[in-house]
Amino acid sequence: MDDFSKDVKDGHYSAHPGKWDSSDPADCPWLNSYDDCVPRSLNYAKVPLFHWVDETARLAPRTVACQFMNTKMTYAKLQRDAEIIAANLRSFGVKPGDRVGIMLPNLPQVIQAFWGVLKAGAIVVMINPLYMEKELTYQIHDSEISHLITIDLCWPKLEQLRATLGVKHFFITTIADGLGFPLNLLQRFNAWREGSIKNVPFDQRTVLKFSTLLEGKERYSHAIGDPEETLALLQYTGGTTGASKGVMLTHFNLGANIQQTKAALPCLAEVPHHVLIAVVPFFHVYGLTTCILLPTILRSRVVPIPRFSPPELLKAVSKYKGTLLPGAPSVYLSLLQQKNLGKYDLSNLQCCISGSAPMPAAYFPKIKKELGAILIEGYGLTEASPITHLNSALGRQKIGSIGLPFPDTDARIVDMEVGTVPLPPGKVGELILRGPQIMRGYWNRPDDTASTLRNGWLYTGDIAVMDEEGYFTIVDRKKDMVLVGGYNVAPREIDEVLHEHPKIADAVAVGIPHPTRGESIKAYVVLKPGESMEKSEVIAWCRQRLANYKVPRQVEFRDALPKSVVGKILRRMLLSEELEKRDKKKADRLEAGAAQHDDTDSPDGNGL
C-alpha cells in the first residue's frame, strides 16, 4: 500500500483531544512556506458554535457587535437577544434538530436570528430572499423547514405558496425594525409613499411579527452534546449545474474554520476594534463565515450593507472607518470604475479579502493603489465551511494562486480519471481536501455524499496545480474544461488574457459545441464606459497571447454578465443560452424544411 492510500485509509482524528492529525510534513511543502507567526497545527476548542458569541460577550460586553445606520448593538445585547429568541422559538414548538429558515437581506436581525436559532438547538437554513417560487418551494421542502424568519418584502411570493410549504410559523420583520428613532419612522413613511409596504396578515398564530421573538425576559441556551456531530447549518449549494444540495456543517466544522482563519491571518487579531463592512450576503456561506462568524471571534464590529451599490459601499467604508472588506472580484472591480473614487476617505481600510471567484491578476496592483489596502485572495467551497486556502497577509503572495492550505488542512492533486493517483508538484489534476472544516455530507443524498467524500477526502471538482513551495493555483472547474480539437483548454486562462485588455471591464470564455472540433471558445465581453471595440480586435488580442486552439472563435459584447449573488460569473448559464439558441435554429430549419416538403408533395405539386 502506497503512502497516499494508507493516508486516506487512516482515521480523521488523532487520539489527542481537539487536535487534527495532519499528514507527514514531507507531503505538505506549504508548511515550510507559512509565515513565522502562523502555526502548523491548532488545538481546537470543541465547543458549540455559539460559544464564541458567549465568550466575546463575557470578555468584551460593551464592544459593538453590529452597527446599522443609527443603531448599535453590543455583544452583551446580542447574546441576550439570541437567548430570548431561543426561548421564544422553543415556546413556538422548535425542538433540537429542527430546521429553521432565515430568509433576509443583510440586516441586524439576521445576526440575532442566527445565534438565536443555534441557541435553541435547531439547525439554521439560510435562504436567498431573491429566490422565486420554484426555488423556494424546493429548498423549504427538501430541508423540511418548520419555522421561517423573513422580511415583509418577501411575503407576497410566500403567501401564494403558504398552503403547500408546510411551515408552521412565519416571523416577519421589516427594514425599519433594524433602525432606531427617528429613522425607523422615516423608513416606514418612505416605504408607504413609494408603495412598497406589504400588507402582511398577522394573525398571532402562524404569521407573527419578528418582534414577538424578542419579547419577555426568559433566556435559553441549549446544551450541545457533541459539537463534532451536531449540525449547526444546512447550507445549500448554488445549484447552477443541477439540483441544489444541502451541505451538512456541524458546530465544530464552522468553529474550526474560523479558528483556522484567525490563525492564518494573525495580523487581524493584532488590531483591536476592527470594523468589517458586510456587503457579501449573509445567506451565502462566504458572507456567513467572513461577516458574522469571523468578526465574532475577532470581537469586531459589523456594518451590514443590505443592497450593493458602489457609491453607497464607498460611503459606508468612509463613514464607518471600515478596516476589513470581504468581497467578490466583481465588487472590487466595480469600485475601481467609480470616477470619483478619490473623494472617499479609505485611509482606514487595511485588508480586502477576495473569494467566490478568481481575481484577474491585472487588478491586484490597481486595488492596492486605488483602495490603499492589501488584497488577500483565497479559496473555499460550501462543503468546507468554506475556507481552505489563503494567501499571506504579511509575507509572500503569489498573484493568481489561491495561496497555501490552512493549518491542519491536507490538500492533494490527484489524477482526473480515477482520483487515486497523487500527482507531483507542477502536474495538473483534481484538488482533493481533508480537514476539520469538511462537511458531514449532503442532506438526504447518500449517493452524492459517497461520490464527493471518498475515504475521508473531499473531491472538489476543481482542476488545480501545486508548485514546489506548496502554493496552489486553480486552473478551472472540472466541469468547465473545454475540449477543442483534442486539446484540453481551461477557460480561466482565456479570461485572464481578456481582462488584461485596457478597454475591457469584464469578460468570460465559454466552451460551446462545434460540429467538427468538439467544442470551440466563445468570449463574452463587457467594455468599459465610453469604449468601443470590434470583435476582430478581441480575437487579435488573444491570438498574440494564446495558442491558436485557445483563441476565441466567436465574440459577443454585452452590457453585463450573469452573476450569482456573490459576484461569480455564471458560465453555465451562458452555455445554456447557447444551447437554447442552437436548438431553436435547428427547429427553425426543420420547420422550414417541412414547409418546403409540403409544397412539393402537395396534390397541387409535381409529385412523383
Side-chain angles (χ1 to χ4, degrees):
M1 181 180 291
D2 59 32
D3 291 341
F4 176 76
S5 300
K6 181 179 183 299
D7 194 30
V8 299
K9 184 175 181 296
D10 292 341
H12 289 259
Y13 293 90
S14 68
H16 184 79
K19 191 176 182 66
W20 185 263
D21 186 11
S22 292
S23 295
D24 188 330
D27 298 326
C28 308
W30 56 85
L31 296 176
N32 295 324
S33 297
Y34 277 3
D35 294 339
D36 292 339
C37 50
V38 176
R40 296 187 170 196
S41 185
L42 305 175
N43 281 310
Y44 296 96
K46 294 187 179 180
V47 292
L49 187 59
F50 52 73
H51 160 85
W52 301 105
V53 76
D54 292 344
E55 187 73 356
T56 298
R58 182 179 68 85
L59 297 173
R62 296 182 180 179
T63 295
V64 175
C66 179
Q67 181 171 3
F68 184 60
M69 299 182 74
N70 69 335
T71 61
K72 294 179 181 179
M73 176 170 52
T74 66
Y75 276 98
K77 185 178 187 304
L78 174 58
Q79 181 193 42
R80 181 173 65 252
D81 288 350
E83 293 180 355
I84 290 174
I85 288 173
N88 282 313
L89 284 173
R90 283 171 53 84
S91 72
F92 282 103
V94 173
K95 303 182 298 297
D98 282 354
R99 274 74 65 201
V100 177
I102 300 176
M103 181 178 167
L104 293 169
N106 283 16
L107 295 170
Q109 296 94 302
V110 181
I111 304 175
Q112 294 168 304
F114 176 79
W115 294 116
V117 172
L118 292 184
K119 280 184 169 284
I123 301 168
V124 173
V125 182
M126 288 294 202
I127 305 175
N128 184 346
L130 299 178
Y131 273 174
M132 301 308 290
E133 286 79 358
K134 182 179 179 181
E135 299 160 308
L136 279 174
T137 301
Y138 169 77
Q139 188 168 332
I140 291 175
H141 282 172
D142 189 71
S143 59
E144 299 176 89
I145 285 172
S146 62
H147 296 69
L148 180 62
I149 300 169
T150 186
I151 191 167
D152 61 336
L153 299 173
C154 292
W155 182 252
K157 55 189 173 186
L158 286 169
E159 188 171 31
Q160 298 177 28
L161 306 170
R162 181 177 171 186
T164 63
L165 293 179
V167 175
K168 298 175 182 176
H169 295 97
F170 297 87
F171 300 96
I172 316 294
T173 190
T174 67
I175 294 175
D177 289 342
L179 301 171
F181 178 83
L183 286 186
N184 54 354
L185 298 181
L186 181 61
Q187 198 281 330
R188 289 190 180 100
F189 173 76
N190 288 336
W192 170 80
R193 187 176 60 181
E194 296 167 1
S196 60
I197 287 184
K198 306 302 177 184
N199 294 318
V200 180
F202 295 110
D203 58 16
Q204 304 308 312
R205 295 188 305 275
T206 57
V207 183
L208 305 102
K209 293 184 177 181
F210 176 76
S211 57
T212 305
L213 293 177
L214 291 166
E215 292 176 354
K217 296 182 179 180
E218 183 182 352
R219 296 169 65 167
Y220 180 78
S221 187
H222 188 71
I224 301 295
D226 185 353
E228 289 185 76
E229 298 298 330
T230 304
L231 296 186
L233 180 67
L234 203 55
Q235 183 73 35
Y236 278 76
T237 59
T240 56
T241 58
S244 183
K245 298 185 286 289
V247 174
M248 298 187 291
L249 299 175
T250 67
H251 284 258
F252 180 68
N253 288 151
L254 293 161
N257 200 224
I258 56 172
Q259 291 175 73
Q260 291 172 312
T261 306
K262 182 180 178 181
L265 294 173
C267 59
L268 299 186
E270 293 173 359
V271 179
H273 310 304
H274 271 297
V275 178
L276 188 144
I277 308 298
V279 68
V280 184
F282 289 151
F283 56 79
H284 191 279
V285 70
Y286 176 32
L288 174 66
T289 297
T290 59
C291 299
I292 294 182
L293 303 185
L294 183 60
T296 301
I297 199 172
L298 293 176
R299 302 169 198 165
S300 299
R301 177 182 313 198
V302 175
V303 178
I305 307 296
R307 180 183 298 176
F308 173 61
S309 159
E312 291 301 316
L313 178 57
L314 289 168
K315 187 185 299 183
V317 174
S318 176
K319 177 179 179 180
Y320 300 109
K321 302 185 186 304
T323 61
L324 302 178
L325 178 61
S330 58
V331 170
Y332 304 118
L333 301 190
S334 66
L335 296 184
L336 293 178
Q337 293 170 16
Q338 300 306 301
K339 295 181 178 179
N340 56 353
L341 183 61
K343 81 171 190 178
Y344 298 98
D345 180 10
L346 308 179
S347 59
N348 291 283
L349 190 60
Q350 300 173 17
C351 179
C352 296
I353 303 174
S354 182
S356 85
M359 171 67 77
Y363 286 93
F364 275 81
K366 296 179 183 178
I367 290 171
K368 175 64 176 176
K369 178 182 177 182
E370 300 296 336
L371 301 184
I374 58 170
L375 178 70
I376 306 174
E377 187 168 28
Y379 168 85
L381 61 167
T382 307
E383 291 85 347
S385 300
I387 310 173
T388 64
H389 292 66
L390 207 61
N391 268 282
S392 170
L394 300 174
R396 183 182 183 188
Q397 288 195 7
K398 291 192 176 182
I399 304 302
S401 84
I402 57 173
L404 308 169
F406 268 0
D408 303 311
T409 300
D410 289 338
R412 293 286 182 274
I413 303 296
V414 297
D415 68 290
M416 289 184 278
E417 288 73 29
V418 182
T420 59
V421 180
L423 302 179
K427 294 294 184 180
V428 174
E430 182 173 359
L431 173 64
I432 66 173
L433 304 161
R434 73 172 184 175
Q437 72 272 51
I438 302 301
M439 69 170 181
R440 284 297 176 264
Y442 296 114
W443 180 258
N444 291 334
R445 289 176 175 266
D447 292 342
D448 287 331
T449 298
S451 65
T452 303
L453 291 178
R454 295 183 242 163
N455 297 318
W457 290 82
L458 172 68
Y459 281 69
T460 67
D462 283 322
I463 307 305
V465 62
M466 181 187 75
D467 68 15
E468 295 284 352
E469 295 178 299
Y471 284 80
F472 286 73
T473 299
I474 299 297
V475 176
D476 225 310
R477 285 290 297 169
K478 192 174 183 179
K479 294 179 180 178
D480 288 336
M481 292 291 285
V482 182
L483 191 64
V484 179
Y487 294 96
N488 282 315
V489 178
R492 184 182 171 186
E493 180 184 1
I494 305 166
D495 297 348
E496 290 281 350
V497 169
L498 292 169
H499 276 102
E500 290 171 359
H501 196 287
K503 293 183 179 180
I504 293 177
D506 208 356
V508 67
V510 177
I512 60 176
H514 188 276
T516 60
R517 298 168 62 85
E519 292 177 288
S520 66
I521 305 296
K522 179 173 181 177
Y524 296 83
V525 174
V526 178
L527 297 178
K528 293 179 180 177
E531 298 288 359
S532 63
M533 267 182 105
E534 297 294 330
K535 296 178 181 180
S536 58
E537 291 181 69
V538 177
I539 294 173
W541 175 267
C542 293
R543 198 176 296 283
Q544 294 173 1
R545 293 161 177 80
L546 294 166
N548 184 58
Y549 65 90
K550 298 179 184 179
V551 175
R553 263 44 183 184
Q554 298 180 56
V555 178
E556 181 177 327
F557 293 106
R558 292 200 170 196
D559 294 330
L561 299 176
K563 295 181 179 180
S564 69
V565 292
V566 291
K568 183 184 295 184
I569 295 175
L570 300 175
R571 206 186 302 261
R572 304 293 295 181
M573 183 178 291
L574 292 168
L575 175 59
S576 295
E577 291 179 12
E578 289 296 329
L579 295 178
E580 287 177 8
K581 286 191 287 187
R582 182 194 64 178
D583 292 343
K584 186 177 185 304
K585 287 181 180 179
K586 184 177 180 180
D588 290 344
R589 285 197 300 269
L590 289 173
E591 185 177 345
Q596 183 179 7
H597 179 77
D598 289 344
D599 289 340
T600 304
D601 294 343
S602 67
D604 296 329
N606 301 318
L608 293 174

